[in-house]
Amino acid sequence: MPVVDIDTDELRQLAATEKDDDALKRDLFALGLEFEGETEEGELQFEFAPDRLDRLSVEGVARSLRYQYGHDRGVYVPTTNDSEWVIEVEESVPEQRPYVTGAVVRGLDMHEGELQSLIQLQEKLHATMGRQRAKGAIGVHDLTMLKGHHGGDSRAKSITYRGVEPDGDRFVPLDSDAELTPADVLSDHPTGQTYSELVTEYERYPAIYDDIGLFSFPPVINGRRTEVSTDSRDLFIELTGTDQWTIDKMCAIICYALDARGGRVERVTVDYPDRQLDRPDLSVTHKTVSHERIESVLGIDLSTDNVVDYLERAGLDADIGDDRTYEVAVPPYRVDVLHAIDIVDDIGRAYGFNDLEPRYPDVSTIGGCHDRTRREDAVRDVLAGLGFEDMLNFHLSSEQECFDRMNVEIDPGDSDAFGVNRPPMITEPYSEQYTIVRTWALPSLLMVLENNTHRSYPQDLSEIGLSARVDEREETKVHERRTVAAVLARTDASYEDAKARLQSVADALGVTLETPPTAHPSFLDGRTASVVLDGEHAGVIGELHPSVLVEHDLELPVAAFEFDLAAIE
């Protein structure tokens, strides 16, 4: 869990309060920050949930207190001046780290405490959102030490983000007096040695230039020429990374912190080869939550005026719809607000969780298995009785396994073919084998058969497990379901064999089964049917297509079926 070091004198000044340390500890605990101890310098240390990364600095913590005390209300977005600087992105930038963003902040009065707070925020953002600089890295520079390029158009000043050869241009890095190439930095400089693994495999290293030369080697180290000190008044902030959203949000958090110190945020134009961005991105997002859900989760009765008041005290804004649904505006530094329940949590904290009166629930019951678990166990028992061996496979897979090797193409919309849907993608997969959440379970069973061709036959396998597809109608944009899949791999496997076993499952569970003919690219035409349970289309059954068998090195026929477990409720 992140820990932030707080100078309570600075906190009192920024939060406009005269409360003593004990009172501050109580107020911060109510906001979710728990006192952990003191540093050798006497600063207080607070631990908090890793979702509220805007509280990684004293400025962010003070902002939360100001809202809690009622000094500020609603969404605040800093006023930004017109852009005077451009970040030009060249095509030579390493493809592994293609994104950049930035901002200019002017008019700061940097004392030592403010400088240390900025450094702390920078390093803690590196450790959290930045994934130790792998996903996003921040460079803060003294603007007066930069000399922008002067182009022929109306843009006055620009710097360039480009790729540089490892033994290319030299610069003097921080904490050094010698001019070094990027390769020298990685081998000879302590900071370079620490972060060398982030770029050492690149053919060209990321670098940022002004008219004088190289001044930043992200994500490793800045140049000494633009080092920030207590004499710095105007700052240039640049961030590079593997994901535009991540570095934009990191930049927004820094801009809000410096705005709280009296800085004036100025926009920067990011000029990619194929598009242009206006940064920093301080746009407000919106989430929807119903009044009924707020009262249901918190267990209290609230008027609509109360809800709006608590939202404003949480730093949010809200418009009320006719059906008592709230359209909630969320400021750009709140990277934690993903779903409606996050809005409810903010309302609860503004109300005061300690003020909620504990009460016994209205029902008297004891713990037990969920109905879904009972259904799964019942189906599993039937399948085991029919001779199937129960499998437990990974829910993560790849597009190649789920689609290409199953002779199907991803359908960008809704498809009638079972399992042929747009899969939830893993943004930064650890392995190329696990890039999506699988949309159906049959491919997983085929992989088991493929890895067991040296075993004796018959091999009758089954699995009850999770699958998912993209669905914009869902709050999470993903629809999850549990499916029942089975394969019969044997010399005489046929549609009739699979149908007989599926009929036994349906009879044992008391549901009616129909199997009207259908077509599916993974199965043989004329030997494929839809699985219809109690009148609901729930799955597919048939003999697998020869191309699928060849793809999985299977030399004997395979019959299979899969259906949605929810259809047997």
Side-chain angles (χ1 to χ4, degrees):
M1 297 258 281
V3 175
V4 60
D5 301 337
I6 299 292
D7 182 328
T8 51
D9 289 334
E10 279 199 289
L11 180 61
R12 276 185 278 268
Q13 178 185 353
L14 290 167
T17 183
E18 296 181 358
K19 293 189 176 185
D20 61 23
D21 287 0
D22 289 336
L24 288 174
K25 291 176 187 177
R26 289 193 296 271
D27 293 343
L28 290 174
F29 183 80
L31 290 172
L33 291 92
E34 185 171 354
F35 176 66
E36 284 292 301
E38 294 188 19
T39 67
E40 294 180 356
E41 293 77 19
E43 293 183 335
L44 303 188
Q45 293 183 309
F46 292 89
E47 183 181 64
F48 59 96
D51 55 346
R52 287 303 302 267
L53 299 181
D54 56 297
R55 294 173 176 169
L56 286 172
S57 67
V58 65
E59 296 87 0
V61 175
R63 183 188 312 114
S64 295
L65 284 177
R66 290 181 65 87
Y67 280 118
Q68 189 73 353
Y69 295 154
H71 299 330
D72 295 329
R73 298 180 68 85
V75 173
Y76 167 72
V77 178
T79 302
T80 56
N81 296 334
D82 292 337
S83 173
E84 292 185 6
W85 285 81
V86 176
I87 303 176
E88 296 180 346
V89 183
E90 294 189 354
E91 293 184 353
S92 62
V93 168
E95 62 180 9
Q96 301 92 331
R97 203 174 188 88
Y99 300 108
V100 64
T101 192
V104 169
V105 181
R106 300 182 187 271
L108 293 165
D109 185 10
M110 297 280 285
H111 56 76
E112 186 63 29
E114 184 173 345
L115 179 59
Q116 291 306 314
S117 178
L118 176 60
I119 293 173
Q120 175 184 230
L121 177 59
Q122 179 182 7
E123 291 308 312
K124 290 188 179 295
L125 282 173
H126 280 160
T128 51
M129 284 190 77
R131 307 282 180 86
Q132 301 296 344
R133 306 192 189 188
K135 193 173 184 179
I138 307 162
V140 183
H141 309 272
D142 189 326
L143 183 65
T144 61
M145 301 306 296
L146 291 177
K147 182 179 180 182
H149 307 299
H150 290 274
D153 55 16
S154 59
R155 297 176 302 191
K157 305 168 186 174
S158 66
I159 60 174
T160 305
Y161 181 41
R162 64 172 70 142
V164 62
E165 296 293 336
D167 293 318
D169 296 327
R170 295 176 174 270
F171 74 113
V172 180
L174 290 172
D175 302 320
S176 176
D177 295 321
E179 284 194 342
L180 303 175
T181 65
D184 292 336
V185 171
L186 300 185
S187 61
D188 301 337
H189 195 285
T191 303
Q193 294 168 354
T194 300
Y195 297 103
S196 62
E197 63 179 15
L198 297 178
V199 297
T200 189
E201 300 298 325
Y202 294 3
E203 292 184 6
R204 297 172 65 87
Y205 294 159
I208 303 179
Y209 288 75
D210 66 353
D211 204 39
I212 297 175
L214 194 160
F215 70 89
S216 180
F217 175 23
V220 181
I221 197 168
N222 293 341
R224 183 175 172 180
R225 168 164 61 94
T226 60
E227 182 177 6
V228 175
S229 69
T230 54
D231 296 325
S232 302
R233 296 293 177 265
D234 302 333
L235 303 181
F236 190 96
I237 303 160
E238 45 84 4
L239 298 91
T240 64
T242 61
D243 176 67
Q244 187 73 51
W245 183 91
T246 298
I247 59 176
D248 281 338
K249 291 302 180 183
M250 293 169 69
C251 185
I253 291 172
I254 295 173
C255 287
Y256 268 85
L258 295 176
D259 175 82
R261 295 289 190 172
R264 300 188 308 277
V265 180
E266 182 178 294
R267 294 193 294 274
V268 168
T269 300
V270 180
D271 198 357
Y272 286 103
D274 59 345
R275 66 191 188 283
Q276 196 173 82
L277 302 179
D278 190 29
R279 291 297 184 262
D281 183 3
L282 302 181
S283 57
V284 174
T285 57
H286 293 83
K287 301 293 179 183
T288 302
V289 62
S290 68
H291 191 90
E292 179 183 6
R293 184 172 189 187
I294 294 169
E295 291 186 332
S296 173
V297 172
L298 297 180
I300 55 177
D301 295 326
L302 296 170
S303 68
T304 54
D305 289 340
N306 288 147
V307 171
V308 172
D309 177 61
Y310 294 138
L311 286 170
E312 290 179 351
R313 286 177 53 192
L316 311 173
D317 282 328
D319 292 325
I320 309 173
D322 295 335
D323 55 352
R324 295 212 304 173
T325 297
Y326 302 89
E327 185 78 11
V328 182
V330 182
Y333 60 84
R334 288 295 304 274
V335 298
D336 60 302
V337 180
L338 303 177
H339 310 296
I341 193 65
D342 300 315
I343 302 294
V344 179
D345 179 73
D346 273 7
I347 295 171
R349 292 193 181 279
Y351 177 89
F353 285 132
N354 292 335
D355 295 330
L356 295 175
E357 296 183 5
R359 56 184 173 83
Y360 287 102
D362 296 333
V363 296
S364 176
T365 185
I366 59 175
C369 287
H370 192 279
D371 287 343
R372 188 191 72 189
T373 303
R374 292 193 182 95
R375 289 196 302 273
E376 288 188 12
D377 289 344
V379 175
R380 192 172 282 113
D381 287 344
V382 174
L383 290 171
L386 293 170
F388 287 95
E389 185 174 354
D390 190 39
M391 298 286 107
L392 180 62
N393 290 306
F394 292 133
H395 300 154
L396 298 185
S397 185
S398 66
E399 291 178 283
Q400 182 182 14
E401 294 293 346
C402 266
F403 305 113
D404 296 346
R405 303 188 70 200
M406 297 298 292
N407 196 35
V408 301
E409 296 181 359
I410 302 175
D411 193 321
D414 292 331
S415 172
D416 292 334
F418 189 87
V420 186
N421 305 103
R422 190 152 56 96
M425 307 294 294
I426 308 302
T427 303
E428 292 191 21
Y430 178 77
S431 166
E432 291 182 355
Q433 293 178 302
Y434 308 113
T435 59
I436 64 171
V437 181
R438 66 184 184 182
T439 57
W440 55 330
L442 276 180
S444 301
L445 293 179
L446 266 292
M447 291 172 64
V448 176
L449 291 177
E450 181 181 18
N451 292 326
N452 285 275
T453 55
H454 59 290
R455 302 286 185 180
S456 61
Y457 290 94
Q459 293 182 23
D460 297 347
L461 311 177
S462 66
E463 180 181 1
I464 303 175
L466 175 77
S467 62
R469 69 175 187 271
V470 173
D471 188 342
E472 297 296 334
R473 296 167 296 183
E474 297 282 346
E475 181 182 328
T476 60
K477 310 303 182 186
V478 173
H479 174 76
E480 298 181 5
R481 63 179 176 180
R482 307 283 291 184
T483 64
V484 180
V487 293
L488 297 94
R490 50 180 69 200
T491 56
D492 58 349
S494 67
Y495 169 84
E496 288 75 17
D497 292 325
K499 170 69 181 296
R501 286 160 176 78
L502 180 58
Q503 185 68 61
S504 297
V505 173
D507 292 344
L509 297 172
V511 295
T512 61
L513 171 66
E514 299 174 70
T515 53
T518 190
H520 192 293
S522 298
F523 294 84
L524 272 173
D525 289 340
R527 304 293 290 170
T528 308
S530 291
V531 176
V532 180
L533 299 172
D534 282 346
E536 178 184 350
H537 286 270
V540 65
I541 181 173
E543 297 176 14
L544 288 179
H545 197 281
S547 64
V548 175
L549 301 179
V550 170
E551 180 64 37
H552 291 84
D553 295 326
L554 300 175
E555 298 179 354
L556 73 176
V558 176
F561 61 81
E562 182 170 356
F563 63 88
D564 192 337
L565 180 65
I568 61 173
E569 291 183 356

